[in-house]
Amino acid sequence: MLLLHGYPTSSHMFRHLIPALADRYRVIAPDHIGFGRSSAPSVDEFEYTFDALARVTRGFLEAVGVEKYTVYTQDYGAPIAWRLALGTPDAVEGVISQNGNAYEEGFVPEFWEPIWAYGENNSPENEAALRPALEREAVQWQYLHGVPEPSRVDPDAWEHDLALLARPGNDRVQLALFADYRTNRELYPQVHEWLRSSQVPVLAIWGRNDEIFGPAGAEAFRRDSPDARIELIDGGHFLLESNLDDVVSAIRDWRASF
């Protein structure tokens, strides 16, 4: 089971999911370059694109001898997973997408408009509009919005992220990835063709109140994977923080079916 994290977190987001699945699966949760415990070279030393992150992840899988896997994607993990699948389609035995988009329908416009604008033109004005996304209020919001009982979310989650975001030069890393996100949309037709041709099993399990990737992004998987299992849970973007047991139960039941 390959777990690929999103922004602005790391494998830390899987700290409870890993032991919950480890009785049945070999669970691997790498940190992307620039995140968590992985190297965080400056933007002058490493080209921060989703192609580059996927290339490093592919090399990591080869190094640890992983040839077949079920992938759990969330947020940034999704475009990395799609690149892995397009590169070695037979390696992916199943897809779990937890608020990880593969369709235009999932983008909540109010959240994404400044990101698209910065990708088109990285002017000082467009950069200034995005910089609040790196700050405490926005990071904490990612964890708490759409969660019916916010007290269930451990504050250590966003404090961990904020500490790593504060590393010198990491702001430029994150801005580079914001700018590159537009390239992920260009891959979607190829991803849809892969889903159709492979009929790889899909579990789209979503915090239905997410104001970043809306629930339409989950429902859209049925277009190319008619047998996809869609689970919309009363939660937000980081569903594992508030609904771990629901996610674990769904994964176990779904994975046992093939």
Side-chain angles (χ1 to χ4, degrees), residues 160-189:
H160 182 274
D161 294 351
L162 286 164
L164 293 174
L165 284 173
R167 289 176 293 179
N170 198 261
D171 57 336
R172 305 307 312 179
V173 167
Q174 304 307 332
L175 288 166
L177 290 171
F178 288 160
D180 193 60
Y181 201 95
R182 69 190 189 282
T183 65
N184 300 329
R185 302 166 80 185
E186 298 166 5
L187 286 181
Y188 287 172

Side-chain angles (χ1 to χ4, degrees), residues 20-227:
L21 296 176
D23 63 326
R24 297 190 189 181
Y25 307 105
R26 180 188 182 191
V27 186
I28 300 173
D31 293 336
H32 309 315
I33 301 300
F35 295 81
R37 296 181 181 276
S38 287
S39 299
S42 73
V43 294
D44 297 323
E45 300 168 301
F46 183 82
E47 183 182 12
Y48 282 91
T49 65
F50 286 90
D51 280 347
L53 296 185
R55 184 171 62 250
V56 171
T57 305
R58 185 177 296 111
F60 165 76
L61 293 175
E62 292 172 357
V64 297
V66 174
E67 297 179 356
K68 297 274 190 179
Y69 54 88
T70 292
V71 63
Y72 181 115
T73 73
Q74 197 267 350
D75 192 272
Y76 276 10
I80 294 170
W82 309 148
R83 284 167 169 80
L84 295 177
L86 294 175
T88 51
D90 294 337
V92 184
E93 297 180 314
V95 170
I96 303 163
S97 181
Q98 187 256 293
N99 298 73
N101 225 40
Y103 293 86
E104 292 289 337
E105 287 88 340
F107 294 112
V108 177
E110 294 78 9
F111 180 89
W112 287 94
E113 283 169 1
I115 295 176
W116 304 144
Y118 186 68
E120 289 294 325
N121 179 6
N122 61 350
S123 66
E125 294 77 15
N126 286 338
E127 178 181 320
L130 268 186
R131 277 195 170 272
L134 307 174
E135 298 172 0
R136 173 173 293 275
E137 183 178 353
V139 172
Q140 186 171 338
W141 172 84
Q142 287 206 42
Y143 281 93
L144 297 181
H145 80 272
V147 180
E149 297 180 52
S151 62
R152 296 179 65 178
V153 180
D154 184 353
D156 283 351
W158 64 76
E159 295 295 345
H160 182 274
D161 294 351
L162 286 164
L164 293 174
L165 284 173
R167 289 176 293 179
N170 198 261
D171 57 336
R172 305 307 312 179
V173 167
Q174 304 307 332
L175 288 166
L177 290 171
F178 288 160
D180 193 60
Y181 201 95
R182 69 190 189 282
T183 65
N184 300 329
R185 302 166 80 185
E186 298 166 5
L187 286 181
Y188 287 172
Q190 296 175 60
V191 175
H192 303 161
E193 173 57 32
W194 169 68
L195 291 169
R196 287 192 301 270
S197 62
S198 68
Q199 285 303 295
V200 62
V202 172
L203 168 62
I205 186 162
W206 228 260
R208 69 181 182 217
N209 309 321
D210 190 0
E211 297 175 34
I212 301 172
F213 295 114
E219 300 281 6
F221 277 98
R222 284 205 179 101
R223 183 182 312 151
D224 300 297
S225 299
D227 297 325

